[in-house]
Amino acid sequence: MTGDRSDMPSLSQMIEEAVLSGQDDGGSAAPDIVCTSSRIPRPVLDEVAAIARSNGMSVSLLINLLLDTYLRGEGRPGYAELAPWYSGYAMRRKG
């Protein structure tokens, strides 16, 4: 998908819609999720974790929101184009 991306929802909007609609993919998208490790200074990660906690979300979700914001800010495709299923995955019931 190319062209004007300004009409594409942000990941934050997609998650809000998933919460309101009770969307839950049951983890079906898990094969499309890649686990990775990053070298992040501990004080930076501590701050990120504090922000995530204060917003009732995981560090992983906050990092994904930041990635979506950065991609969209650079005029690149964001989660709405690259992984439209992610909001359902992020809101899945764990356990």
Side-chain angles (χ1 to χ4, degrees):
M1 186 179 273
T2 58
D4 184 21
R5 293 188 169 96
S6 62
D7 60 341
M8 298 299 292
S10 69
L11 178 56
S12 174
Q13 293 166 327
M14 292 166 53
I15 288 173
E16 183 176 338
E17 183 177 315
V19 168
L20 293 175
S21 70
Q23 181 182 345
D24 177 4
D25 84 341
S28 65
D32 290 330
I33 297 294
V34 176
C35 293
T36 184
S37 65
S38 300
R39 297 181 194 283
I40 302 171
R42 186 174 306 279
V44 172
L45 187 57
D46 290 345
E47 285 300 313
V48 170
I51 292 168
R53 266 192 313 278
S54 71
N55 287 289
M57 66 178 71
S58 68
V59 170
S60 177
L61 179 55
L62 180 55
I63 290 171
N64 278 282
L65 288 165
L66 293 169
L67 288 170
D68 182 61
T69 300
Y70 181 78
L71 288 168
R72 292 168 45 86
E74 290 292 312
R76 306 291 298 185
Y79 281 54
E81 289 181 71
L82 300 172
W85 46 264
Y86 183 78
S87 60
Y89 174 79
M91 303 317 305
R92 74 195 182 287
R93 288 170 183 56
K94 298 161 186 88

